[in-house]
Amino acid sequence: MPSTSNCDESKLVPKPKHERRVKQPTPNWLELPRDVMENILQRIGVVDVLENTQKVCTAWREIYKDPAMWKVIHMHKFLVPNGKRAFQEMCKHAVDRSQGQLLDLTIKGFCDEGLLQYVFERSSQLRRVEIIFCLENIFEQWGEGLKNLPLLEELSVGDISTEDIEAAGRYCPLLKTLKVNQAKIMLLYPDDDADDDGYWEDLIQNEIALAIGKNLPRLTHLELIRNSMNNNGLRAILDGCRHLESLDLRGCEYLDLKRDLGKRCSRQIKDLKLPHDYLSGHRKYMLYGHSHCDDHTPMFGRPLCRT
């Protein structure tokens, strides 16, 4: 009888059965429920939609005819002159497609007075507006435009005037969040015949803060990165905006919070960012005369100066 040790052990081990791989069917996007498809298509950027996505098929084109698909418009065109007009026309077209249902608007890098007026005249339902990195001064349009935004809850701008703040307080009773993130403002020097140089300089430094404290008492969130106010301006905000829950003072280098004012801020504000706290995600650029404050946004063109 042959020894089992001489047997070929490989013959005793059963070979694994061959697994059949079933080819999965390719999903048909057109068979998805309409609400699922709408949810997916809403995540595509406005420029891609207008230039590509809506042209893919008839079903998608029909979905994009629904004004509800245009309730949110976020468009970024960085501070380079080429293509500005094309982006403005696309933005106007998107606003028209919303048919007055626009709720959330972001325009970065290509807004001017004409576009701002066009949007505000057709979008009275707006809740949130962010318009920054403009290629020209658009101050004169804010006051008139805010008359058409009674439901506005959040406003984010690169710069603002006292008249704009007064208009916001008058016409936007639901405004809860204001973000004004600007480059350092150079102080204007008074005329030689000014009675009190110190008072005039203080007024210029604090004019935005004073206007906020006087006109926006319902604010709950305020962001004033790199504002030039001093302690008097901050006191005006704390006195006038009693409902503030968060206050961002990063880069406000004229503030001195080592004494009683700092203690008051800590008591009154739940979420407080101090002048010397790290500016995560913010970097100051001066590009074509305007500030750029977002580390995570690609820059096109050479910044004129950077600090």
Side-chain angles (χ1 to χ4, degrees):
M1 183 174 184
S3 174
T4 56
S5 60
N6 296 329
C7 293
D8 188 351
E9 294 183 0
S10 61
K11 295 181 180 180
L12 301 179
V13 179
K15 294 182 179 180
K17 294 182 179 179
H18 178 68
E19 294 184 3
R20 247 183 182 179
R21 293 186 180 181
V22 179
K23 186 178 180 181
Q24 297 296 327
T26 303
N28 187 347
W29 286 72
L30 298 178
E31 294 179 355
L32 289 174
R34 183 180 174 91
D35 58 338
V36 175
M37 181 56 65
E38 288 178 354
N39 185 281
I40 294 172
L41 294 180
Q42 279 181 328
R43 302 169 188 270
I44 301 174
V46 172
V47 177
D48 285 333
V49 169
L50 294 178
E51 292 190 340
N52 302 304
T53 312
Q54 68 173 354
K55 303 175 184 178
V56 169
C57 61
T58 302
W60 289 10
R61 186 160 54 251
E62 289 300 318
I63 288 177
Y64 280 120
K65 287 183 180 180
D66 184 354
M69 294 293 292
W70 302 90
K71 288 184 177 182
V72 177
I73 297 176
H74 289 186
M75 295 185 67
H76 300 201
K77 171 64 177 171
F78 304 105
L79 295 180
V80 290
N82 296 334
K84 170 188 170 184
R85 186 173 298 277
F87 266 66
Q88 290 177 342
E89 292 304 315
M90 280 191 284
C91 185
K92 289 179 181 179
H93 182 58
V95 170
D96 292 341
R97 298 278 287 268
S98 74
Q99 297 184 22
Q101 296 188 32
L102 181 60
L103 302 178
D104 187 334
L105 174 68
T106 296
I107 299 177
K108 296 184 180 181
F110 63 93
C111 191
D112 61 12
E113 289 187 2
L115 178 58
L116 197 65
Q117 181 179 1
Y118 190 93
V119 172
F120 286 173
E121 287 178 353
R122 293 162 175 79
S123 309
S124 61
Q125 302 296 312
L126 273 168
R127 264 68 163 182
R128 177 189 173 276
V129 173
E130 180 181 9
I131 298 182
I132 53 178
F133 314 149
C134 300
L135 292 175
E136 63 180 48
N137 192 329
I138 60 174
F139 278 165
E140 295 181 1
Q141 291 299 323
W142 276 111
E144 288 298 314
L146 291 173
K147 291 181 180 180
N148 300 323
L149 307 181
L151 303 179
L152 188 65
E153 299 175 6
E154 178 177 336
L155 177 62
S156 179
V157 294
D159 214 339
I160 199 168
S161 70
T162 56
E163 291 78 13
D164 299 331
I165 294 173
E166 292 170 2
R170 187 179 304 116
Y171 302 120
C172 307
L174 302 180
L175 187 65
K176 302 295 183 183
T177 299
L178 176 64
K179 299 179 181 181
V180 185
N181 299 327
Q182 59 194 106
K184 187 195 304 182
I185 297 176
M186 295 181 64
L187 295 182
L188 304 176
Y189 291 97
D191 298 332
D192 294 337
D193 57 354
D195 295 330
D196 188 343
D197 289 359
Y199 169 78
W200 185 256
E201 181 174 324
D202 181 72
L203 178 63
I204 294 173
Q205 275 189 304
N206 293 303
E207 59 179 1
I208 298 299
L210 294 172
I212 290 173
K214 181 180 179 180
N215 296 283
L216 302 176
R218 301 178 186 87
L219 283 183
T220 56
H221 305 283
L222 178 59
E223 195 171 286
L224 292 173
I225 292 177
R226 297 189 180 92
N227 189 273
S228 62
M229 66 179 163
N230 59 25
N231 284 16
N232 292 331
L234 179 55
R235 288 192 188 93
I237 290 174
L238 295 176
D239 290 341
C241 304
R242 293 286 182 171
H243 300 288
L244 272 183
E245 298 176 5
S246 68
L247 178 60
D248 193 337
L249 301 172
R250 291 177 294 175
C252 298
E253 58 189 55
Y254 296 104
L255 294 175
D256 181 5
L257 303 181
K258 296 179 181 178
R259 300 182 182 178
D260 293 342
L261 186 58
K263 295 178 181 178
R264 179 183 176 184
C265 286
S266 298
R267 290 195 305 267
Q268 188 169 334
I269 308 298
K270 295 179 181 178
D271 181 10
L272 178 64
K273 292 183 174 62
L274 299 173
H276 298 293
D277 285 351
Y278 181 61
L279 276 165
S280 175
H282 288 81
R283 180 182 297 164
K284 182 174 67 178
Y285 286 89
M286 293 301 295
L287 187 59
Y288 302 107
H290 295 264
S291 63
H292 181 104
C293 302
D294 189 350
D295 275 345
H296 303 300
T297 303
M299 294 292 294
F300 296 92
R302 178 183 296 178
L304 298 182
C305 68
R306 167 180 163 188
T307 56

